[in-house]
Amino acid sequence: MASLNAFTYSHPLQGRNIRLLEVKLGPQLSPLKIRLVEKHLDEVEFEALSYVWGNQARKKSIKCNGCRLAIGSNLHDALCEMRRRGSTTFCWADAICINQNNAQEKTCQVRLMREIYARANRVIIWIGKEQPRDSDALQLAESLYKKCDGDWYDIDAGTYDFEDFDCESKGVPKPLFDPIWIALFEIISHPWFGRVWVIQELLVAQRSTMWRGALDFDTDTILWSAMQVGRHRNLYNSFDVTMNSPQTSALMARNVAASYLDYKKKGPHTLYDTLSRNSGMGATDSRDRFFALASVSTGLNLAFINYKKTFKEVACLVGMMTLLGFSEYDLEPGGTEMLTSSQIPQEHRFLIEWLAFHANPQNHKLGIPSWVPDLLSAHSTGLVMTGFYNTLYLQGVRDIPSPQVRLKKGPLDIRIEVSPNRWRIPVPDDIDIKGAIFDRVRIVARDRPRLPSPDSSATHVRMHLSLTAMERVAQYEAMMEKFAEYETAMIYWLSEIRLLADPTLNTRGDIMAGLSKSFDAFWRTLVYNREPHFNYDSPNQRPEAWLGVSFGYWYLSKKLQMAKRWRDKPANWAFHRRVLEKLAAPFEEAEGRVRYARNFFVSQEGRIGWVPFRTQAGDHVCVFYGMRIPVILRLQSDRWEFIGACYVHGLMDGEVWDLNGLQWDFMSFV
């Protein structure tokens, strides 16, 4: 095939014309051949392929219209499967059907992609070649879908819940190291679930099916299964352990499923809402992190998709839309970009709370200004701060100030056009936010110790299942030693941050010693002063004192593990462990929702709480006018770098606005 001329596109596509490919039938081991044709979108029957581009360094050559064309290996596998099935239906696949080297054609075709997938007779989702036990995994998924009435699943039920899945009542094995569960985990860890383009391709499809080699999977069944794995603690943890924390996490698969189910129920959301539901998703072109979701979001003119813009320019545009809450974008005939809010001006609030969306914003790595809300990066472990402390939860409890911003276009302030039914502005270059500094960071504690991860590669899991009884005992004891080391490290870490929080304590004293007020503030800070279960009826409710008692048992359970009594008195140790774990369970659940999200800190005024990982001693603690959650800022010459949102104990329920001596001013950001 090397002697063939390289394939070239004859001319750019115009209007509503698209290219479609037809796979030529032939022996399975023969070189793949396709025919590429141009058709009008409204006048042709075709199917569309949803797949992952994958590593483009590993390409395979095919024959396209008699010429040599190099395509990704994953796309090659999908087209070979179409040939094996004898499919000669026209098919659309972006890597071939769009000239990726022509920015103008790419822009026009991407603007058409929503219609392409919506008009396709069927969307084929390619999730790789068939693997051993895939059939068993499919049977497990289908069985659970039927037993749990998956057809009637409510996406909004138990949004903040994270309970164990009751495997016993459903008649299925427990998930940890079970080979059938592992096979299902491998399916939903496929890179397809981590690709941002699949959201649009899935949401607008008239009909879809998943191909896993020669197997056909029902899309709803697999997505429902992904939702369960992402929402249940034992399934989520088993996925993470047995799959060795894969790049395509259970959270990503859950987000794809949640987007699909939510779209079917409610329709499209604003772009920033849609982005927030799919953070961490990947794309070959970083601009596609935004463009891929534009057509399944509300209020955007197709001109929003523009490959002449840089990633930074697109990120700043979306950041401005997000903070202002102006979800509508259009381009005027003269080329001026405009943002609009269709809310009644008197009822509109600027949405600066989006700055608290990510526990540890990665703007410094993304190369975008610090004021742009990070809706792209995968989340740190731990519940989103606004899940606990949304400013609007205080409505009816106390007066809530309205956020204030100042917008600039070049050197001039922007005047917002106000009419009875909407606000409208040209896209600003810069945004200042009204805020006040009230404290500084004195010390940031070292990272919380990490729970040890066992060797959980697929090879190791298969080896584990074939071990003798004696070998499993030895492996168990080795694992117990690792956990004892972890619990020992936790005891020392808890003692360190307890002394940081209250320096009056004796360094040899007990962690629960000291004044009751000091201890109460400490354990409440460990769980962000919230109960294990989100209270939908009273979202501001703080935990009762009994959770502090549970903390005591939680601490004692760690000391028990630290003592390693399983060596000499295993029966006695096992009994005490079961008792303590049951009593400690409420605090373990509450702490487990927030662990590893931030670092413990103490301020110059003696306040305690949690700050983003990048926080340094000397950083400033600030409150924005109209935002309940404090933030960490770092002075950079005459501007501020936004580091991230923080938890400051005792100031999270609006008390921060009432502090004496606050000096409010508009703050500019790098």
Side-chain angles (χ1 to χ4, degrees):
M1 193 174 288
S3 60
L4 296 175
N5 292 328
F7 175 81
T8 57
Y9 295 91
S10 58
H11 60 274
L13 292 170
Q14 301 292 328
R16 294 176 62 79
N17 278 14
I18 62 173
R19 297 186 188 93
L20 294 169
L21 65 88
E22 178 188 27
V23 176
K24 294 294 186 179
L25 301 184
Q28 279 300 100
L29 298 179
S30 64
L32 187 66
K33 300 177 183 179
I34 66 169
R35 181 169 72 100
L36 195 62
V37 298
E38 183 176 336
K39 298 286 184 180
H40 193 281
L41 176 59
D42 303 323
E43 300 171 357
V44 64
E45 300 284 324
F46 65 98
E47 296 180 333
L49 194 62
S50 177
Y51 67 104
V52 179
W53 275 36
N55 185 355
Q56 293 300 291
R58 299 171 53 195
K59 291 194 172 185
K60 295 188 176 181
S61 291
I62 66 170
K63 186 180 287 188
C64 176
N65 292 358
C67 297
R68 185 182 74 257
L69 176 65
I71 64 173
S73 60
N74 190 52
L75 176 56
H76 184 273
D77 291 341
L79 297 180
C80 284
E81 178 59 27
M82 293 182 71
R83 180 174 65 179
R84 191 199 66 79
R85 294 180 182 228
S87 174
T88 56
T89 305
F90 282 133
C91 182
W92 192 88
D94 61 345
I96 296 175
C97 297
I98 298 176
N99 182 354
Q100 301 293 328
N101 296 318
N102 186 316
Q104 183 62 36
E105 176 178 301
K106 187 176 178 181
T107 295
C108 295
Q109 288 290 292
V110 170
R111 290 174 180 175
L112 275 178
M113 275 181 63
R114 186 189 195 283
E115 286 194 73
I116 290 171
Y117 278 93
R119 286 179 173 272
N121 294 335
R122 179 177 64 161
V123 173
I124 299 168
I125 299 167
W126 173 252
I127 50 175
K129 295 180 179 179
E130 183 177 349
Q131 302 298 318
R133 310 215 74 154
D134 276 353
S135 296
D136 295 334
L138 179 58
Q139 289 180 11
L140 172 65
E142 290 175 339
S143 172
L144 288 175
Y145 186 78
K146 184 176 181 180
K147 291 176 180 178
C148 298
D149 295 322
D151 285 335
W152 300 99
Y153 182 73
D154 184 1
I155 181 64
D156 294 319
T159 301
Y160 294 105
D161 295 343
F162 197 49
E163 310 286 346
D164 281 350
F165 187 82
D166 189 356
C167 293
E168 185 176 351
S169 71
K170 304 303 179 187
V172 297
K174 292 183 178 180
L176 189 60
F177 295 124
D178 178 78
I180 300 177
W181 275 107
I182 291 171
L184 182 57
F185 293 158
E186 287 178 340
I187 290 170
I188 63 175
S189 67
H190 188 274
W192 182 85
F193 288 94
R195 176 177 172 266
V196 70
W197 278 111
V198 309
I199 303 297
Q200 175 181 255
E201 295 161 6
L202 179 66
L203 266 50
V204 304
Q206 299 178 47
R207 184 167 67 95
S208 66
T209 185
M210 288 186 170
W211 284 5
R212 178 82 161 175
L215 293 176
D216 285 37
F217 292 173
D218 176 67
T219 303
D220 284 10
T221 300
I222 297 301
L223 293 176
W224 176 87
S225 300
M227 197 74 200
Q228 305 317 301
V229 173
R231 273 195 171 178
H232 291 91
R233 183 191 299 105
N234 57 341
L235 300 183
Y236 185 93
N237 291 340
S238 296
F239 175 98
D240 206 46
V241 169
T242 56
M243 300 308 297
N244 205 18
S245 301
Q247 185 173 358
T248 305
S249 68
L251 189 61
M252 286 185 185
R254 188 204 73 178
N255 288 347
V256 172
S259 293
Y260 173 70
L261 295 168
D262 187 79
Y263 192 87
K264 288 203 322 185
K265 180 178 180 179
K266 303 173 186 175
H269 297 278
T270 63
L271 178 60
Y272 38 87
D273 270 321
T274 308
L275 281 163
S276 72
R277 295 162 193 263
N278 297 284
S279 59
M281 305 289 278
T284 304
D285 186 326
S286 57
R287 293 167 294 184
D288 288 340
R289 302 285 295 278
F290 302 104
F291 295 161
L293 301 175
S295 294
V296 288
S297 302
T298 59
L300 297 179
N301 186 293
L302 286 177
F304 173 81
I305 300 172
N306 183 357
Y307 285 96
K308 293 182 179 179
K309 286 189 174 184
T310 65
F311 168 72
K312 181 179 177 180
E313 288 172 333
V314 181
C316 288
L317 169 59
V318 175
M320 199 66 71
M321 295 169 66
T322 305
L323 293 180
L324 297 178
F326 284 24
S327 60
E328 299 172 35
Y329 167 92
D330 64 272
L331 188 67
E332 291 190 334
T336 302
E337 296 180 295
M338 301 295 292
L339 299 181
T340 304
S341 169
S342 294
Q343 271 192 309
I344 298 172
Q346 290 78 6
E347 298 177 358
H348 185 83
R349 282 179 64 87
F350 296 124
L351 304 183
I352 61 172
E353 200 131 334
W354 279 108
L355 287 166
F357 175 73
H358 201 293
N360 293 278
Q362 300 297 300
N363 299 40
H364 59 296
K365 293 183 178 179
L366 293 169
I368 57 179
S370 69
W371 60 264
V372 176
D374 183 1
L375 307 182
L376 300 181
S377 303
H379 270 294
S380 310
T381 307
L383 196 64
V384 176
M385 182 81 84
T386 49
F388 289 136
Y389 292 107
N390 190 308
T391 303
L392 295 182
Y393 291 161
L394 291 174
Q395 284 183 328
V397 177
R398 58 160 296 158
D399 291 335
I400 305 174
S402 183
Q404 295 185 25
V405 301
R406 184 170 62 194
L407 307 176
K408 293 182 178 180
K409 189 77 173 176
L412 303 176
D413 291 352
I414 289 180
R415 184 174 177 273
I416 300 178
E417 299 176 20
V418 181
S419 66
N421 298 317
R422 67 176 188 171
W423 289 22
R424 183 172 167 82
I425 59 169
V427 175
D429 294 330
D430 211 350
I431 181 170
D432 297 342
I433 302 174
K434 195 171 190 179
I437 301 295
F438 67 88
D439 207 340
R440 296 188 76 170
V441 175
R442 181 170 67 85
I443 189 168
V444 180
R446 64 185 175 93
D447 293 353
R448 183 194 193 279
R450 291 272 172 179
L451 194 67
S453 297
D455 183 355
S456 52
S457 64
T459 301
H460 177 80
V461 171
R462 285 190 284 271
M463 288 175 60
H464 172 83
L465 296 172
S466 64
L467 293 177
T468 65
M470 289 293 291
E471 289 170 330
R472 289 193 184 192
V473 169
Q475 191 178 70
Y476 173 77
E477 290 179 348
M479 183 179 70
M480 293 301 294
E481 289 288 342
K482 282 187 177 182
F483 275 98
E485 292 174 8
Y486 160 74
E487 298 292 22
T488 301
M490 278 295 298
I491 292 292
Y492 283 116
W493 178 77
L494 286 166
S495 299
E496 286 175 20
I497 64 173
R498 180 76 175 101
L499 284 170
L500 289 175
D502 188 352
T504 65
L505 295 176
N506 187 321
T507 56
R508 296 181 178 273
D510 190 272
I511 194 173
M512 290 175 277
L515 297 175
S516 60
K517 184 178 180 180
S518 166
F519 173 66
D520 186 73
F522 179 71
W523 73 257
R524 288 180 182 277
T525 297
L526 290 179
V527 294
Y528 290 52
N529 208 16
R530 286 296 181 260
E531 294 182 344
H533 300 281
F534 185 80
N535 190 325
Y536 292 90
D537 297 323
S538 182
N540 298 310
Q541 184 172 320
R542 303 167 189 179
E544 302 290 341
W546 62 263
L547 194 62
V549 177
S550 182
F551 165 78
Y553 291 116
W554 183 75
Y555 181 71
L556 289 174
S557 69
K558 296 181 180 306
K559 297 201 80 169
L560 177 68
Q561 192 77 5
M562 178 181 174
K564 303 182 180 180
R565 299 302 300 274
W566 71 82
R567 292 172 171 174
D568 52 353
K569 295 182 178 180
N572 189 290
W573 170 82
F575 171 76
H576 285 98
R577 183 189 180 193
R578 283 196 298 271
V579 171
L580 286 174
E581 283 185 346
K582 185 173 182 179
L583 294 169
F587 192 86
E588 168 68 21
E589 185 174 353
E591 197 270 343
R593 294 201 306 173
V594 296
R595 69 176 58 142
Y596 307 134
R598 295 172 180 84
N599 279 336
F600 188 85
F601 92 108
V602 181
S603 79
Q604 290 184 353
E605 298 292 330
R607 299 181 175 100
I608 62 174
W610 298 96
V611 291
F613 296 139
R614 292 184 62 229
T615 304
Q616 301 171 1
D619 285 344
H620 295 72
V621 191
C622 169
V623 57
F624 290 138
Y625 198 77
M627 179 169 159
R628 173 184 188 170
I629 303 166
V631 301
I632 299 296
L633 302 180
R634 184 173 301 156
L635 192 59
Q636 303 281 12
S637 187
D638 60 342
R639 286 177 168 254
W640 296 95
E641 180 183 2
F642 178 81
I643 304 299
C646 62
Y647 172 89
V648 181
H649 187 69
L651 294 181
M652 301 301 295
D653 291 313
E655 305 94 336
V656 67
W657 298 322
D658 302 325
L659 292 175
N660 292 326
L662 290 180
Q663 297 182 4
W664 298 101
D665 198 3
F666 283 104
M667 312 177 84
S668 301
F669 299 89
V670 296

